[in-house]
Amino acid sequence: MASVPREGATKERGRGSAMPIAWDDILTAFEFVSVGDSDNSAYLCRETGEMLWHSAFGGEFDELPDDIDDGAKYLALPDPRDLDLGKPLVMRFADEELADRYDEVAQIFSRRGAYRRFRDLLTREGVLDKWYAFEAAAKEKALREWCAENGVAVEG
């Protein structure tokens, strides 16, 4: 699942990426890191533009280099909690679209299995598609802001 270094990659200066990284590569890596409570991680090599994929569960993923913690060379992709895309996002949506059910949503998220029950509520209220659009827009905005803050030039 590892991507190959991009042709024409050059050594970076400072903390920015050496070259633009395709938005789809960033988004796919973010989704990989976001899977459940897994121990998946993805790292962007700032020098080559290569994405390194790793899972604690094994499989055909990359062996991480010894210097993976070198922030000038590698950048770990965030997970949704790092970008406030978990419960805070749900509560913003509830405030905007389900104001009369806000307390119920808060109660749902006080126990395990919240997302399943939340989807059930959204389906009953007829706003599931609105949630998916809201979530996708918030994810893209937060991830693009994260890229900008970390000097990652995004293409697309």
Side-chain angles (χ1 to χ4, degrees), residues 5-110:
R6 299 182 189 285
E7 200 171 304
T10 58
K11 191 159 179 98
E12 60 123 16
R13 290 187 177 156
R15 288 184 44 101
S17 58
M19 58 188 314
I21 308 301
W23 171 248
D24 287 344
D25 290 349
I26 295 288
L27 187 58
T28 301
F30 177 76
E31 295 293 342
F32 175 73
V33 170
S34 301
V35 174
D37 289 329
S38 72
D39 288 323
N40 293 343
S41 54
Y43 299 85
L44 172 63
C45 178
R46 293 178 183 270
E47 295 176 352
T48 66
E50 178 182 16
M51 196 67 71
L52 302 175
W53 305 74
H54 181 74
S55 178
F57 301 110
E60 295 185 26
F61 297 104
D62 297 304
E63 185 173 324
L64 298 178
D66 292 336
D67 62 347
I68 196 69
D69 293 326
D70 180 350
K73 189 171 181 184
Y74 298 101
L75 180 62
L77 269 77
D79 70 23
R81 290 176 303 270
D82 296 329
L83 303 178
D84 280 336
L85 295 175
K87 184 178 175 182
L89 181 64
V90 167
M91 299 315 296
R92 283 196 306 270
F93 181 79
D95 188 47
E96 291 179 23
E97 297 293 332
L98 299 167
D100 58 328
R101 307 298 292 271
Y102 186 89
D103 290 339
E104 182 179 350
V105 173
Q107 181 66 26
I108 286 172
F109 277 85
S110 68

Side-chain angles (χ1 to χ4, degrees), residues 108-109 111-124 128:
I108 286 172
F109 277 85
R111 298 184 314 274
R112 293 182 57 82
Y115 282 98
R116 178 187 48 78
R117 289 192 312 277
F118 180 58
R119 275 191 309 275
D120 291 346
L121 173 65
L122 296 174
T123 300
R124 284 192 312 272
L128 185 61

